[in-house]
Amino acid sequence: MTWRSLLISKGGKLSLHQQQMLIQQEGNEFTVPLEDIAIVVVESRETVITLPLLSAFGLYGITLLSCDEQFLPCGQWLPFNQYYRQLKTLKLQLETSLPLKKQLWQRIVQQKIRNQAKVLSLCQLREKSERLLRLANLVKSGDKDNLEAQSAVIYFSGLFGTHFRRKEDNAINIHLNYAYTVVRSAVARSLVLYGWLPQLGLFHHSELNAFNLADDFIEPFRPLIDLLVWNLLEKELLSQNLSPLSKQQLIKILHHQLFFNQEKVSVLTAIDKSVASLQIALTQKNAALLQLPEIDTLQEYQYE
């Protein structure tokens, strides 16, 4: 079971050595078993990566994220053709009816709103939390009333203040977007490993988006990211720009614990289980078989 997410913030060389990633930096050497790694984020533009290591990443199902000049993820390396029944899965995906897609999206939106309600409850905003729970129960097939957007207004104004807007360029959004990108890459990785074509979404369908299905599946996980950023803000650890400390904490979101089918698992495991349940739901043509994560409690983080 993969469990490590690595941030490479210093220049150096990454190479393959006896089925391990060899990290050489400033005269020091470290090795990490490939079977332990899920995601590697490389933000240093002075880093050299060898082709044998990239090939090994593909074979082990490891996702690599590269960053731009602002140290924000801008590129992704995904495994290719690792699933043993990819054509069967692709046919299942292509033949999914529109009504079933709408029912699956209804289920995703409901769980996202319920998780938002849990976050508000954990932040002692019980009145707004109860409003969201009522909205979740009203979501119809395809969310034709757009209750997802209505809940977002209530949710973000409660969590970050009435003047907060998601599209503004501020410290909160910078941290949210960074963590969203990391989790989205983990979702895309899982989709590819299970043989799904990430371009074909259930609700998202932009021709310019290579990860429409990932953008569907990330939705129930977003509130957990919001909770982590809120926690950083409450502890006065949210800098105006992304700091090495905050990036390390945001990447750790992949190891936060969630409830999945009454079992406590990491975000990485919950993503895999959610994606795996999609095949069951499509095969049985039953949206109720799609299983999604539930937020449990506010996990205390150690800031070092």
Side-chain angles (χ1 to χ4, degrees):
M1 177 68 71
T2 58
W3 58 278
R4 288 191 177 183
S5 49
L6 304 178
L7 174 65
I8 307 298
S9 56
K10 296 179 181 179
K13 181 180 180 181
L14 307 181
S15 58
L16 180 65
H17 178 69
Q18 296 181 349
Q19 305 310 307
Q20 299 188 75
M21 182 171 74
L22 174 63
I23 306 171
Q24 296 171 295
Q25 295 175 327
E26 301 176 344
N28 298 313
E29 293 187 353
F30 315 90
T31 58
V32 182
L34 293 177
E35 62 185 4
D36 292 347
I37 304 173
I39 291 178
V40 178
V41 181
V42 179
E43 66 175 22
S44 171
R45 300 177 69 80
E46 310 300 323
T47 302
V48 175
I49 306 174
T50 66
L51 183 58
L53 180 62
L54 287 176
S55 298
F57 279 0
L59 292 173
Y60 278 82
I62 298 170
T63 288
L64 171 72
L65 290 178
S66 60
C67 298
D68 60 18
E69 292 85 350
Q70 284 74 46
F71 307 107
L72 298 174
C74 64
Q76 182 172 356
W77 174 271
L78 284 171
F80 175 70
N81 203 28
Q82 295 297 309
Y83 190 65
Y84 72 108
R85 288 186 177 176
Q86 194 154 15
L87 181 58
K88 178 181 178 180
T89 302
L90 180 57
K91 286 181 177 179
L92 190 63
Q93 191 174 3
L94 290 171
E95 293 169 359
T96 303
S97 67
L98 183 58
L100 181 55
K101 286 182 180 180
K102 289 183 175 182
Q103 292 163 18
L104 290 165
W105 180 241
Q106 174 190 18
R107 190 165 174 82
I108 288 172
V109 171
Q110 286 177 324
Q111 192 56 45
K112 176 184 181 179
I113 296 175
R114 290 184 182 121
N115 282 343
Q116 288 175 329
K118 183 64 176 182
V119 168
L120 292 178
S121 176
L122 292 170
C123 298
Q124 307 304 314
L125 298 166
R126 303 193 187 282
E127 182 181 348
K128 289 182 182 292
S129 174
E130 291 171 0
R131 287 179 64 187
L132 290 195
L133 287 176
R134 290 194 292 270
L135 279 179
N137 293 330
L138 297 175
V139 176
K140 298 175 182 177
S141 178
D143 188 24
K144 64 180 183 179
D145 297 324
N146 201 15
L147 295 185
E148 181 190 17
Q150 294 182 42
S151 69
V153 174
I154 300 168
Y155 173 69
F156 280 114
S157 64
L159 197 61
F160 296 121
T162 55
H163 299 294
F164 175 76
R165 298 293 183 273
R166 265 295 292 139
K167 293 185 178 181
E168 291 180 353
D169 185 12
N170 55 45
I172 293 173
N173 280 323
I174 288 172
H175 287 74
L176 287 175
N177 292 338
Y178 186 91
Y180 287 157
T181 300
V182 171
V183 175
R184 184 179 187 247
S185 71
V187 174
R189 164 188 173 270
S190 185
L191 289 169
V192 172
L193 289 176
Y194 277 90
W196 301 107
L197 197 63
Q199 293 92 331
L200 299 178
L202 302 170
F203 172 76
H204 292 89
H205 56 270
S206 171
E207 293 182 355
L208 304 178
N209 185 3
F211 299 103
N212 285 307
L213 190 56
D215 287 336
D216 291 334
F217 266 89
I218 192 180
E219 297 299 347
F221 294 91
R222 286 183 186 271
L224 182 62
I225 298 168
D226 307 332
L227 181 60
L228 173 55
V229 173
W230 176 86
N231 196 26
L232 286 169
L233 185 65
E234 286 293 297
K235 293 179 180 293
E236 299 183 351
L237 293 170
L238 202 71
S239 56
Q240 189 60 37
N241 296 305
L242 286 162
S243 67
L245 174 63
S246 61
K247 281 184 284 192
Q248 289 171 4
Q249 298 306 318
L250 293 174
I251 291 173
K252 286 181 181 178
I253 192 74
L254 297 174
H255 312 298
H256 191 108
Q257 298 292 299
L258 288 167
F259 263 117
F260 191 93
N261 197 21
Q262 299 183 333
E263 178 187 6
K264 188 170 282 192
V265 299
S266 70
V267 168
L268 279 171
T269 300
I271 289 171
D272 284 346
K273 287 180 176 291
S274 295
V275 171
S277 73
L278 176 61
Q279 186 168 51
I280 300 172
L282 295 189
T283 301
Q284 300 295 324
K285 296 181 173 56
N286 184 353
L289 297 177
L290 178 67
Q291 296 183 318
L292 298 166
E294 300 175 35
I295 292 178
D296 176 30
T297 58
L298 176 59
Q299 180 173 325
E300 286 297 324
Y301 289 88
Q302 298 298 320
Y303 301 98
E304 301 174 354

